[in-house]
Amino acid sequence: MGNKKNGGIGRGFICAALAGGTLMCYGIAYAIHGDTLVSPYITVGFGAVAGLLLGIVTRRAFGLLTGFASRAVNYATASAVCAGVVLASLYAVNFFCSSASTLHEECVPVERLYTETRHHTKRISRRTYGRGEAYKVYFAEIRFADGRRKSISVRAEQYRRLHVGDTLNLRLEEGALGMAVLKRRGLRLDVHSPRRR
């Protein structure tokens, strides 16, 4: 009886660790995507296909870890975890192994300014979390010379200084996997306003 109970607790811990680690991987990929010049359809599509293929190979191992009897559940779990790991690795390798020798500046126009309202997570009880206070996140949509558009996050004071039609100086490097990355360390978004309202 004790062994069954301990086994259930152990598997519960493994499932919680897998869920937390998977969410962390997706969070890392989402955060780095904000500074990577690539269409999300490309990277998410690649991650999804890789996750589905790796899920076939690893579903049995996940079944042993989680204790789920259903093959479909094990395959879905394995695919979701593998896709998250692949996505996080893809973005992280490309960003952190970018070539410093390719660092250059580009002057890009601001096409649109907008904000998003998000919410902090609030702890309600020991095991329950809910939606906390709202806060705003500020974005500028910019356009590169080749026609690519990208939304980048900016600080509140930068957002207040910006207008549609202004230009920004950005520092870019070529990523290790060929996706250009925005380097923000030590960066001041220099705003050039050809016309003021």
Side-chain angles (χ1 to χ4, degrees), residues 118-151:
R118 298 180 183 173
H119 294 83
H120 293 288
T121 301
K122 180 174 67 174
R123 187 171 185 177
I124 298 170
S125 64
R126 186 177 176 184
R127 295 183 181 178
T128 309
Y129 291 83
R131 193 162 75 168
E133 292 181 16
Y135 66 98
K136 283 191 174 182
V137 184
Y138 302 89
F139 294 93
E141 185 180 281
I142 56 178
R143 179 173 45 83
F144 290 88
D146 59 5
R148 285 181 298 175
R149 293 172 186 263
K150 176 75 177 174
S151 288

PDB file of all heavy atoms in Angstrom, residues 118-151:
ATOM      1  N   ARG A 118      -2.094  43.167 -19.949  1.00  0.00           N
ATOM      2  CA  ARG A 118      -1.844  41.838 -19.383  1.00  0.00           C
ATOM      3  C   ARG A 118      -2.111  41.881 -17.894  1.00  0.00           C
ATOM      4  O   ARG A 118      -2.340  42.934 -17.319  1.00  0.00           O
ATOM      5  CB  ARG A 118      -0.415  41.387 -19.692  1.00  0.00           C
ATOM      6  CG  ARG A 118      -0.175  41.258 -21.195  1.00  0.00           C
ATOM      7  CD  ARG A 118       1.223  40.824 -21.512  1.00  0.00           C
ATOM      8  NE  ARG A 118       1.452  40.775 -22.965  1.00  0.00           N
ATOM      9  CZ  ARG A 118       2.618  40.551 -23.534  1.00  0.00           C
ATOM     10  NH1 ARG A 118       3.689  40.363 -22.784  1.00  0.00           N
ATOM     11  NH2 ARG A 118       2.727  40.525 -24.853  1.00  0.00           N
ATOM     12  N   HIS A 119      -2.059  40.727 -17.267  1.00  0.00           N
ATOM     13  CA  HIS A 119      -2.372  40.641 -15.844  1.00  0.00           C
ATOM     14  C   HIS A 119      -1.298  39.853 -15.102  1.00  0.00           C
ATOM     15  O   HIS A 119      -0.786  38.851 -15.613  1.00  0.00           O
ATOM     16  CB  HIS A 119      -3.736  39.969 -15.624  1.00  0.00           C
ATOM     17  CG  HIS A 119      -4.888  40.779 -16.147  1.00  0.00           C
ATOM     18  ND1 HIS A 119      -5.257  40.751 -17.470  1.00  0.00           N
ATOM     19  CD2 HIS A 119      -5.723  41.648 -15.525  1.00  0.00           C
ATOM     20  CE1 HIS A 119      -6.292  41.554 -17.641  1.00  0.00           C
ATOM     21  NE2 HIS A 119      -6.591  42.119 -16.489  1.00  0.00           N
ATOM     22  N   HIS A 120      -0.962  40.348 -13.931  1.00  0.00           N
ATOM     23  CA  HIS A 120      -0.065  39.600 -13.059  1.00  0.00           C
ATOM     24  C   HIS A 120      -0.796  38.369 -12.533  1.00  0.00           C
ATOM     25  O   HIS A 120      -2.024  38.329 -12.501  1.00  0.00           O
ATOM     26  CB  HIS A 120       0.375  40.466 -11.879  1.00  0.00           C
ATOM     27  CG  HIS A 120       1.242  41.617 -12.266  1.00  0.00           C
ATOM     28  ND1 HIS A 120       2.553  41.468 -12.675  1.00  0.00           N
ATOM     29  CD2 HIS A 120       0.980  42.954 -12.311  1.00  0.00           C
ATOM     30  CE1 HIS A 120       3.071  42.652 -12.946  1.00  0.00           C
ATOM     31  NE2 HIS A 120       2.139  43.573 -12.749  1.00  0.00           N
ATOM     32  N   THR A 121      -0.023  37.365 -12.138  1.00  0.00           N
ATOM     33  CA  THR A 121      -0.609  36.183 -11.507  1.00  0.00           C
ATOM     34  C   THR A 121      -0.688  36.420 -10.003  1.00  0.00           C
ATOM     35  O   THR A 121       0.278  36.862  -9.385  1.00  0.00           O
ATOM     36  CB  THR A 121       0.244  34.937 -11.797  1.00  0.00           C
ATOM     37  OG1 THR A 121       0.321  34.768 -13.218  1.00  0.00           O
ATOM     38  CG2 THR A 121      -0.363  33.696 -11.189  1.00  0.00           C
ATOM     39  N   LYS A 122      -1.843  36.136  -9.437  1.00  0.00           N
ATOM     40  CA  LYS A 122      -2.045  36.361  -8.001  1.00  0.00           C
ATOM     41  C   LYS A 122      -2.288  35.027  -7.311  1.00  0.00           C
ATOM     42  O   LYS A 122      -3.085  34.211  -7.771  1.00  0.00           O
ATOM     43  CB  LYS A 122      -3.249  37.283  -7.795  1.00  0.00           C
ATOM     44  CG  LYS A 122      -3.543  37.586  -6.342  1.00  0.00           C
ATOM     45  CD  LYS A 122      -4.648  38.625  -6.204  1.00  0.00           C
ATOM     46  CE  LYS A 122      -5.971  38.086  -6.679  1.00  0.00           C
ATOM     47  NZ  LYS A 122      -7.089  39.017  -6.436  1.00  0.00           N
ATOM     48  N   ARG A 123      -1.581  34.821  -6.208  1.00  0.00           N
ATOM     49  CA  ARG A 123      -1.778  33.587  -5.447  1.00  0.00           C
ATOM     50  C   ARG A 123      -2.989  33.754  -4.542  1.00  0.00           C
ATOM     51  O   ARG A 123      -3.028  34.634  -3.689  1.00  0.00           O
ATOM     52  CB  ARG A 123      -0.532  33.278  -4.625  1.00  0.00           C
ATOM     53  CG  ARG A 123      -0.602  31.933  -3.940  1.00  0.00           C
ATOM     54  CD  ARG A 123       0.706  31.550  -3.327  1.00  0.00           C
ATOM     55  NE  ARG A 123       0.664  30.210  -2.776  1.00  0.00           N
ATOM     56  CZ  ARG A 123       1.691  29.592  -2.232  1.00  0.00           C
ATOM     57  NH1 ARG A 123       2.866  30.211  -2.177  1.00  0.00           N
ATOM     58  NH2 ARG A 123       1.582  28.372  -1.760  1.00  0.00           N
ATOM     59  N   ILE A 124      -3.970  32.873  -4.714  1.00  0.00           N
ATOM     60  CA  ILE A 124      -5.197  32.950  -3.929  1.00  0.00           C
ATOM     61  C   ILE A 124      -5.097  32.053  -2.704  1.00  0.00           C
ATOM     62  O   ILE A 124      -5.459  32.448  -1.594  1.00  0.00           O
ATOM     63  CB  ILE A 124      -6.407  32.551  -4.798  1.00  0.00           C
ATOM     64  CG1 ILE A 124      -6.546  33.539  -5.959  1.00  0.00           C
ATOM     65  CG2 ILE A 124      -7.693  32.520  -3.966  1.00  0.00           C
ATOM     66  CD1 ILE A 124      -7.543  33.128  -7.001  1.00  0.00           C
ATOM     67  N   SER A 125      -4.626  30.848  -2.906  1.00  0.00           N
ATOM     68  CA  SER A 125      -4.405  29.926  -1.792  1.00  0.00           C
ATOM     69  C   SER A 125      -3.175  29.097  -2.123  1.00  0.00           C
ATOM     70  O   SER A 125      -2.483  29.359  -3.100  1.00  0.00           O
ATOM     71  CB  SER A 125      -5.634  29.033  -1.576  1.00  0.00           C
ATOM     72  OG  SER A 125      -5.846  28.210  -2.703  1.00  0.00           O
ATOM     73  N   ARG A 126      -2.924  28.076  -1.311  1.00  0.00           N
ATOM     74  CA  ARG A 126      -1.711  27.290  -1.472  1.00  0.00           C
ATOM     75  C   ARG A 126      -1.579  26.685  -2.871  1.00  0.00           C
ATOM     76  O   ARG A 126      -0.494  26.643  -3.433  1.00  0.00           O
ATOM     77  CB  ARG A 126      -1.695  26.186  -0.418  1.00  0.00           C
ATOM     78  CG  ARG A 126      -0.405  25.390  -0.399  1.00  0.00           C
ATOM     79  CD  ARG A 126      -0.438  24.383   0.718  1.00  0.00           C
ATOM     80  NE  ARG A 126       0.757  23.551   0.686  1.00  0.00           N
ATOM     81  CZ  ARG A 126       0.973  22.536   1.502  1.00  0.00           C
ATOM     82  NH1 ARG A 126       0.075  22.240   2.422  1.00  0.00           N
ATOM     83  NH2 ARG A 126       2.068  21.827   1.416  1.00  0.00           N
ATOM     84  N   ARG A 127      -2.700  26.211  -3.425  1.00  0.00           N
ATOM     85  CA  ARG A 127      -2.644  25.548  -4.729  1.00  0.00           C
ATOM     86  C   ARG A 127      -3.425  26.283  -5.814  1.00  0.00           C
ATOM     87  O   ARG A 127      -3.568  25.780  -6.919  1.00  0.00           O
ATOM     88  CB  ARG A 127      -3.210  24.134  -4.603  1.00  0.00           C
ATOM     89  CG  ARG A 127      -2.379  23.235  -3.708  1.00  0.00           C
ATOM     90  CD  ARG A 127      -2.943  21.850  -3.678  1.00  0.00           C
ATOM     91  NE  ARG A 127      -2.174  20.983  -2.809  1.00  0.00           N
ATOM     92  CZ  ARG A 127      -2.475  19.715  -2.560  1.00  0.00           C
ATOM     93  NH1 ARG A 127      -3.547  19.192  -3.118  1.00  0.00           N
ATOM     94  NH2 ARG A 127      -1.728  18.987  -1.762  1.00  0.00           N
ATOM     95  N   THR A 128      -3.939  27.433  -5.491  1.00  0.00           N
ATOM     96  CA  THR A 128      -4.787  28.146  -6.442  1.00  0.00           C
ATOM     97  C   THR A 128      -4.194  29.502  -6.801  1.00  0.00           C
ATOM     98  O   THR A 128      -3.806  30.264  -5.919  1.00  0.00           O
ATOM     99  CB  THR A 128      -6.205  28.359  -5.862  1.00  0.00           C
ATOM    100  OG1 THR A 128      -6.701  27.095  -5.390  1.00  0.00           O
ATOM    101  CG2 THR A 128      -7.141  28.917  -6.920  1.00  0.00           C
ATOM    102  N   TYR A 129      -4.151  29.752  -8.085  1.00  0.00           N
ATOM    103  CA  TYR A 129      -3.677  31.039  -8.595  1.00  0.00           C
ATOM    104  C   TYR A 129      -4.764  31.653  -9.465  1.00  0.00           C
ATOM    105  O   TYR A 129      -5.524  30.944 -10.129  1.00  0.00           O
ATOM    106  CB  TYR A 129      -2.390  30.871  -9.407  1.00  0.00           C
ATOM    107  CG  TYR A 129      -1.199  30.480  -8.570  1.00  0.00           C
ATOM    108  CD1 TYR A 129      -0.972  29.149  -8.233  1.00  0.00           C
ATOM    109  CD2 TYR A 129      -0.315  31.447  -8.099  1.00  0.00           C
ATOM    110  CE1 TYR A 129       0.121  28.781  -7.449  1.00  0.00           C
ATOM    111  CE2 TYR A 129       0.770  31.084  -7.317  1.00  0.00           C
ATOM    112  CZ  TYR A 129       0.984  29.763  -7.000  1.00  0.00           C
ATOM    113  OH  TYR A 129       2.054  29.407  -6.225  1.00  0.00           O
ATOM    114  N   GLY A 130      -4.837  32.963  -9.467  1.00  0.00           N
ATOM    115  CA  GLY A 130      -5.832  33.661 -10.268  1.00  0.00           C
ATOM    116  C   GLY A 130      -5.221  34.867 -10.954  1.00  0.00           C
ATOM    117  O   GLY A 130      -4.008  35.110 -10.884  1.00  0.00           O
ATOM    118  N   ARG A 131      -6.079  35.634 -11.599  1.00  0.00           N
ATOM    119  CA  ARG A 131      -5.628  36.809 -12.321  1.00  0.00           C
ATOM    120  C   ARG A 131      -5.497  37.984 -11.374  1.00  0.00           C
ATOM    121  O   ARG A 131      -6.421  38.305 -10.635  1.00  0.00           O
ATOM    122  CB  ARG A 131      -6.613  37.136 -13.446  1.00  0.00           C
ATOM    123  CG  ARG A 131      -6.072  38.130 -14.435  1.00  0.00           C
ATOM    124  CD  ARG A 131      -6.855  38.111 -15.719  1.00  0.00           C
ATOM    125  NE  ARG A 131      -8.142  38.764 -15.563  1.00  0.00           N
ATOM    126  CZ  ARG A 131      -8.931  39.092 -16.567  1.00  0.00           C
ATOM    127  NH1 ARG A 131      -8.574  38.806 -17.801  1.00  0.00           N
ATOM    128  NH2 ARG A 131     -10.077  39.681 -16.357  1.00  0.00           N
ATOM    129  N   GLY A 132      -4.324  38.619 -11.399  1.00  0.00           N
ATOM    130  CA  GLY A 132      -4.059  39.744 -10.510  1.00  0.00           C
ATOM    131  C   GLY A 132      -4.242  41.084 -11.212  1.00  0.00           C
ATOM    132  O   GLY A 132      -5.048  41.219 -12.131  1.00  0.00           O
ATOM    133  N   GLU A 133      -3.460  42.058 -10.788  1.00  0.00           N
ATOM    134  CA  GLU A 133      -3.590  43.423 -11.308  1.00  0.00           C
ATOM    135  C   GLU A 133      -3.198  43.499 -12.788  1.00  0.00           C
ATOM    136  O   GLU A 133      -2.313  42.795 -13.252  1.00  0.00           O
ATOM    137  CB  GLU A 133      -2.693  44.377 -10.515  1.00  0.00           C
ATOM    138  CG  GLU A 133      -3.138  44.595  -9.080  1.00  0.00           C
ATOM    139  CD  GLU A 133      -2.237  45.572  -8.356  1.00  0.00           C
ATOM    140  OE1 GLU A 133      -1.469  46.291  -9.035  1.00  0.00           O
ATOM    141  OE2 GLU A 133      -2.296  45.623  -7.124  1.00  0.00           O
ATOM    142  N   ALA A 134      -3.877  44.396 -13.484  1.00  0.00           N
ATOM    143  CA  ALA A 134      -3.594  44.602 -14.909  1.00  0.00           C
ATOM    144  C   ALA A 134      -2.394  45.535 -15.077  1.00  0.00           C
ATOM    145  O   ALA A 134      -2.138  46.403 -14.247  1.00  0.00           O
ATOM    146  CB  ALA A 134      -4.818  45.190 -15.593  1.00  0.00           C
ATOM    147  N   TYR A 135      -1.653  45.330 -16.155  1.00  0.00           N
ATOM    148  CA  TYR A 135      -0.567  46.240 -16.506  1.00  0.00           C
ATOM    149  C   TYR A 135      -0.465  46.305 -18.030  1.00  0.00           C
ATOM    150  O   TYR A 135      -0.955  45.415 -18.733  1.00  0.00           O
ATOM    151  CB  TYR A 135       0.769  45.783 -15.894  1.00  0.00           C
ATOM    152  CG  TYR A 135       1.296  44.485 -16.428  1.00  0.00           C
ATOM    153  CD1 TYR A 135       2.265  44.455 -17.431  1.00  0.00           C
ATOM    154  CD2 TYR A 135       0.843  43.260 -15.917  1.00  0.00           C
ATOM    155  CE1 TYR A 135       2.760  43.261 -17.916  1.00  0.00           C
ATOM    156  CE2 TYR A 135       1.322  42.059 -16.404  1.00  0.00           C
ATOM    157  CZ  TYR A 135       2.287  42.063 -17.394  1.00  0.00           C
ATOM    158  OH  TYR A 135       2.769  40.874 -17.877  1.00  0.00           O
ATOM    159  N   LYS A 136       0.137  47.360 -18.521  1.00  0.00           N
ATOM    160  CA  LYS A 136       0.236  47.559 -19.962  1.00  0.00           C
ATOM    161  C   LYS A 136       1.632  47.221 -20.470  1.00  0.00           C
ATOM    162  O   LYS A 136       2.630  47.489 -19.800  1.00  0.00           O
ATOM    163  CB  LYS A 136      -0.118  49.001 -20.329  1.00  0.00           C
ATOM    164  CG  LYS A 136      -1.607  49.282 -20.318  1.00  0.00           C
ATOM    165  CD  LYS A 136      -1.911  50.637 -20.933  1.00  0.00           C
ATOM    166  CE  LYS A 136      -3.413  50.835 -21.059  1.00  0.00           C
ATOM    167  NZ  LYS A 136      -3.743  52.122 -21.700  1.00  0.00           N
ATOM    168  N   VAL A 137       1.667  46.661 -21.677  1.00  0.00           N
ATOM    169  CA  VAL A 137       2.922  46.402 -22.380  1.00  0.00           C
ATOM    170  C   VAL A 137       2.871  47.207 -23.673  1.00  0.00           C
ATOM    171  O   VAL A 137       1.836  47.247 -24.349  1.00  0.00           O
ATOM    172  CB  VAL A 137       3.090  44.903 -22.689  1.00  0.00           C
ATOM    173  CG1 VAL A 137       4.444  44.645 -23.332  1.00  0.00           C
ATOM    174  CG2 VAL A 137       2.931  44.070 -21.432  1.00  0.00           C
ATOM    175  N   TYR A 138       3.995  47.862 -24.008  1.00  0.00           N
ATOM    176  CA  TYR A 138       4.020  48.811 -25.130  1.00  0.00           C
ATOM    177  C   TYR A 138       4.800  48.222 -26.306  1.00  0.00           C
ATOM    178  O   TYR A 138       5.856  47.622 -26.117  1.00  0.00           O
ATOM    179  CB  TYR A 138       4.661  50.123 -24.675  1.00  0.00           C
ATOM    180  CG  TYR A 138       3.941  50.749 -23.507  1.00  0.00           C
ATOM    181  CD1 TYR A 138       4.284  50.429 -22.195  1.00  0.00           C
ATOM    182  CD2 TYR A 138       2.889  51.647 -23.713  1.00  0.00           C
ATOM    183  CE1 TYR A 138       3.610  50.986 -21.118  1.00  0.00           C
ATOM    184  CE2 TYR A 138       2.214  52.206 -22.639  1.00  0.00           C
ATOM    185  CZ  TYR A 138       2.572  51.876 -21.345  1.00  0.00           C
ATOM    186  OH  TYR A 138       1.895  52.428 -20.284  1.00  0.00           O
ATOM    187  N   PHE A 139       4.253  48.426 -27.509  1.00  0.00           N
ATOM    188  CA  PHE A 139       4.863  47.860 -28.712  1.00  0.00           C
ATOM    189  C   PHE A 139       4.941  48.889 -29.832  1.00  0.00           C
ATOM    190  O   PHE A 139       4.098  49.791 -29.928  1.00  0.00           O
ATOM    191  CB  PHE A 139       4.052  46.664 -29.224  1.00  0.00           C
ATOM    192  CG  PHE A 139       4.053  45.479 -28.304  1.00  0.00           C
ATOM    193  CD1 PHE A 139       3.042  45.315 -27.371  1.00  0.00           C
ATOM    194  CD2 PHE A 139       5.060  44.535 -28.370  1.00  0.00           C
ATOM    195  CE1 PHE A 139       3.036  44.225 -26.512  1.00  0.00           C
ATOM    196  CE2 PHE A 139       5.069  43.447 -27.526  1.00  0.00           C
ATOM    197  CZ  PHE A 139       4.042  43.287 -26.595  1.00  0.00           C
ATOM    198  N   ALA A 140       5.966  48.725 -30.659  1.00  0.00           N
ATOM    199  CA  ALA A 140       6.097  49.497 -31.898  1.00  0.00           C
ATOM    200  C   ALA A 140       6.256  48.493 -33.031  1.00  0.00           C
ATOM    201  O   ALA A 140       7.110  47.603 -32.959  1.00  0.00           O
ATOM    202  CB  ALA A 140       7.304  50.421 -31.845  1.00  0.00           C
ATOM    203  N   GLU A 141       5.429  48.616 -34.049  1.00  0.00           N
ATOM    204  CA  GLU A 141       5.578  47.762 -35.230  1.00  0.00           C
ATOM    205  C   GLU A 141       6.464  48.484 -36.229  1.00  0.00           C
ATOM    206  O   GLU A 141       6.180  49.620 -36.615  1.00  0.00           O
ATOM    207  CB  GLU A 141       4.215  47.458 -35.858  1.00  0.00           C
ATOM    208  CG  GLU A 141       4.317  46.471 -37.015  1.00  0.00           C
ATOM    209  CD  GLU A 141       2.968  46.165 -37.627  1.00  0.00           C
ATOM    210  OE1 GLU A 141       2.223  45.348 -37.049  1.00  0.00           O
ATOM    211  OE2 GLU A 141       2.652  46.755 -38.679  1.00  0.00           O
ATOM    212  N   ILE A 142       7.547  47.844 -36.615  1.00  0.00           N
ATOM    213  CA  ILE A 142       8.532  48.471 -37.498  1.00  0.00           C
ATOM    214  C   ILE A 142       8.600  47.711 -38.821  1.00  0.00           C
ATOM    215  O   ILE A 142       8.186  46.557 -38.906  1.00  0.00           O
ATOM    216  CB  ILE A 142       9.922  48.507 -36.833  1.00  0.00           C
ATOM    217  CG1 ILE A 142      10.339  47.097 -36.422  1.00  0.00           C
ATOM    218  CG2 ILE A 142       9.928  49.453 -35.637  1.00  0.00           C
ATOM    219  CD1 ILE A 142      11.708  46.994 -35.799  1.00  0.00           C
ATOM    220  N   ARG A 143       9.122  48.375 -39.848  1.00  0.00           N
ATOM    221  CA  ARG A 143       9.247  47.748 -41.170  1.00  0.00           C
ATOM    222  C   ARG A 143      10.688  47.846 -41.641  1.00  0.00           C
ATOM    223  O   ARG A 143      11.288  48.920 -41.632  1.00  0.00           O
ATOM    224  CB  ARG A 143       8.306  48.425 -42.170  1.00  0.00           C
ATOM    225  CG  ARG A 143       8.400  47.852 -43.587  1.00  0.00           C
ATOM    226  CD  ARG A 143       7.326  48.426 -44.504  1.00  0.00           C
ATOM    227  NE  ARG A 143       7.183  49.867 -44.377  1.00  0.00           N
ATOM    228  CZ  ARG A 143       7.955  50.754 -44.996  1.00  0.00           C
ATOM    229  NH1 ARG A 143       8.952  50.344 -45.754  1.00  0.00           N
ATOM    230  NH2 ARG A 143       7.750  52.044 -44.843  1.00  0.00           N
ATOM    231  N   PHE A 144      11.245  46.718 -42.063  1.00  0.00           N
ATOM    232  CA  PHE A 144      12.613  46.674 -42.554  1.00  0.00           C
ATOM    233  C   PHE A 144      12.635  46.930 -44.060  1.00  0.00           C
ATOM    234  O   PHE A 144      11.610  46.887 -44.734  1.00  0.00           O
ATOM    235  CB  PHE A 144      13.250  45.323 -42.225  1.00  0.00           C
ATOM    236  CG  PHE A 144      13.512  45.144 -40.760  1.00  0.00           C
ATOM    237  CD1 PHE A 144      12.532  44.624 -39.927  1.00  0.00           C
ATOM    238  CD2 PHE A 144      14.717  45.533 -40.211  1.00  0.00           C
ATOM    239  CE1 PHE A 144      12.758  44.472 -38.576  1.00  0.00           C
ATOM    240  CE2 PHE A 144      14.958  45.391 -38.849  1.00  0.00           C
ATOM    241  CZ  PHE A 144      13.977  44.858 -38.034  1.00  0.00           C
ATOM    242  N   ALA A 145      13.828  47.166 -44.582  1.00  0.00           N
ATOM    243  CA  ALA A 145      13.983  47.533 -45.993  1.00  0.00           C
ATOM    244  C   ALA A 145      13.476  46.446 -46.934  1.00  0.00           C
ATOM    245  O   ALA A 145      13.007  46.739 -48.034  1.00  0.00           O
ATOM    246  CB  ALA A 145      15.460  47.836 -46.287  1.00  0.00           C
ATOM    247  N   ASP A 146      13.546  45.173 -46.495  1.00  0.00           N
ATOM    248  CA  ASP A 146      13.091  44.080 -47.363  1.00  0.00           C
ATOM    249  C   ASP A 146      11.596  43.821 -47.234  1.00  0.00           C
ATOM    250  O   ASP A 146      11.087  42.851 -47.789  1.00  0.00           O
ATOM    251  CB  ASP A 146      13.883  42.802 -47.058  1.00  0.00           C
ATOM    252  CG  ASP A 146      13.724  42.359 -45.602  1.00  0.00           C
ATOM    253  OD1 ASP A 146      12.929  42.974 -44.871  1.00  0.00           O
ATOM    254  OD2 ASP A 146      14.397  41.385 -45.209  1.00  0.00           O
ATOM    255  N   GLY A 147      10.895  44.680 -46.483  1.00  0.00           N
ATOM    256  CA  GLY A 147       9.447  44.547 -46.358  1.00  0.00           C
ATOM    257  C   GLY A 147       8.974  43.801 -45.131  1.00  0.00           C
ATOM    258  O   GLY A 147       7.781  43.799 -44.818  1.00  0.00           O
ATOM    259  N   ARG A 148       9.898  43.146 -44.420  1.00  0.00           N
ATOM    260  CA  ARG A 148       9.495  42.416 -43.218  1.00  0.00           C
ATOM    261  C   ARG A 148       9.001  43.377 -42.141  1.00  0.00           C
ATOM    262  O   ARG A 148       9.568  44.452 -41.967  1.00  0.00           O
ATOM    263  CB  ARG A 148      10.673  41.615 -42.662  1.00  0.00           C
ATOM    264  CG  ARG A 148      11.009  40.372 -43.442  1.00  0.00           C
ATOM    265  CD  ARG A 148      12.169  39.634 -42.807  1.00  0.00           C
ATOM    266  NE  ARG A 148      13.389  40.444 -42.787  1.00  0.00           N
ATOM    267  CZ  ARG A 148      14.515  40.078 -42.198  1.00  0.00           C
ATOM    268  NH1 ARG A 148      14.584  38.929 -41.564  1.00  0.00           N
ATOM    269  NH2 ARG A 148      15.586  40.860 -42.238  1.00  0.00           N
ATOM    270  N   ARG A 149       7.981  42.964 -41.430  1.00  0.00           N
ATOM    271  CA  ARG A 149       7.471  43.751 -40.309  1.00  0.00           C
ATOM    272  C   ARG A 149       7.708  42.988 -39.020  1.00  0.00           C
ATOM    273  O   ARG A 149       7.694  41.762 -38.998  1.00  0.00           O
ATOM    274  CB  ARG A 149       5.969  44.022 -40.472  1.00  0.00           C
ATOM    275  CG  ARG A 149       5.636  44.936 -41.640  1.00  0.00           C
ATOM    276  CD  ARG A 149       4.136  45.001 -41.859  1.00  0.00           C
ATOM    277  NE  ARG A 149       3.812  45.757 -43.049  1.00  0.00           N
ATOM    278  CZ  ARG A 149       3.477  47.044 -43.049  1.00  0.00           C
ATOM    279  NH1 ARG A 149       3.431  47.710 -41.910  1.00  0.00           N
ATOM    280  NH2 ARG A 149       3.197  47.662 -44.175  1.00  0.00           N
ATOM    281  N   LYS A 150       7.912  43.739 -37.943  1.00  0.00           N
ATOM    282  CA  LYS A 150       8.179  43.117 -36.656  1.00  0.00           C
ATOM    283  C   LYS A 150       7.668  44.023 -35.550  1.00  0.00           C
ATOM    284  O   LYS A 150       7.858  45.248 -35.591  1.00  0.00           O
ATOM    285  CB  LYS A 150       9.688  42.902 -36.498  1.00  0.00           C
ATOM    286  CG  LYS A 150      10.117  42.349 -35.164  1.00  0.00           C
ATOM    287  CD  LYS A 150       9.796  40.888 -35.054  1.00  0.00           C
ATOM    288  CE  LYS A 150      10.293  40.280 -33.752  1.00  0.00           C
ATOM    289  NZ  LYS A 150       9.859  38.878 -33.589  1.00  0.00           N
ATOM    290  N   SER A 151       7.005  43.442 -34.580  1.00  0.00           N
ATOM    291  CA  SER A 151       6.587  44.202 -33.404  1.00  0.00           C
ATOM    292  C   SER A 151       7.626  44.008 -32.311  1.00  0.00           C
ATOM    293  O   SER A 151       7.969  42.865 -31.975  1.00  0.00           O
ATOM    294  CB  SER A 151       5.219  43.729 -32.906  1.00  0.00           C
ATOM    295  OG  SER A 151       4.207  44.133 -33.792  1.00  0.00           O
TER     296      SER A 151
END
